[in-house]
Amino acid sequence: MITKQELEEKIAKGESVWYADFNKVFECVLIPKNKPELKMPNYLYVYADDEYEYRRKLYINRLYSTKVEAEHYLHHANIIRTETLPFLTWEEFFSIGVMTFTGTNNLDYELVRDFGVYNAITIYENGNELFEYDLTEENFYKAYDECVKLFKGEENK
C-alpha cells in the first residue's frame, strides 16, 4: 500500500499508481492538470483525461506503486475459508461409523461408533477420548450436540 506522502509526491510529479479493483488492476496516471483530489484518510478522486471529465473514487488502501504489488493484493488479500461440520443422521452414522472435523482451536476431532467391547459412541480430541456414550440413537444426538459445540468453539467441558 502506498503512503500519503508517496501519493502526494506522485501527484505533484504526474506519475502513475496501480489500483487493485475487485477483479482487476489498472494504472492511474495522476496528472496534476486533471485535479486529483486526495481526501484523507480514505479516498483519492481522479478525473478521466477525456471529454466527459468523470470523476472516479479510489480507495487509498488499494493503491500501489507497482503493478506487481497491486496484483499481489488482488489475488491474495481477503481470502476466505469456509468450513462446514459434516451432517450425519443416526442411520448414516451407524452405517459409516465415524465423522471427523477440525475445531476452531485447530484440534482434530472424531465421533466414532465403537462395536468393540463397549458398544459406545466416543468423541476423540487429537486421539484422546473426550466423551463416551452408550451406543443409542438418543446418545448419538447428545454426542452430535457436543460436536457442534466443539466445532463452533463453544465451552462444553
Side-chain angles (χ1 to χ4, degrees), residues 29-91:
V29 179
L30 303 173
I31 304 171
K33 72 174 184 151
N34 284 354
K35 307 176 290 279
E37 296 175 32
L38 186 55
K39 299 288 185 182
M40 289 306 286
N42 300 321
Y43 312 112
L44 171 70
Y45 290 104
V46 293
Y47 292 84
D49 192 17
D50 61 23
E51 61 187 277
Y52 300 110
E53 289 283 324
Y54 71 92
R55 185 171 86 157
R56 181 168 192 148
K57 177 180 174 181
L58 305 176
Y59 294 96
I60 291 174
N61 65 350
R62 292 188 182 178
L63 288 172
Y64 294 89
S65 296
T66 67
K67 183 178 182 181
V68 171
E69 290 173 330
E71 286 176 339
H72 176 65
Y73 175 86
L74 178 70
H75 297 299
H76 300 111
N78 304 318
I79 293 173
I80 297 172
R81 178 178 163 185
T82 303
E83 298 179 64
T84 305
L85 181 68
F87 175 76
L88 293 177
T89 62
W90 162 246
E91 291 81 13

Side-chain angles (χ1 to χ4, degrees), residues 15-29:
E15 294 179 355
S16 61
V17 293
W18 287 86
Y19 187 71
D21 206 349
F22 292 102
N23 58 357
K24 65 181 184 264
V25 298
F26 58 87
E27 187 175 21
C28 297
V29 179

Side-chain angles (χ1 to χ4, degrees), residues 86-93 96-99 111 140-141 144:
F87 175 76
L88 293 177
T89 62
W90 162 246
E91 291 81 13
E92 291 170 325
F93 174 72
I96 296 168
V98 67
M99 175 182 75
L111 177 65
F140 163 73
Y141 293 112
Y144 200 89

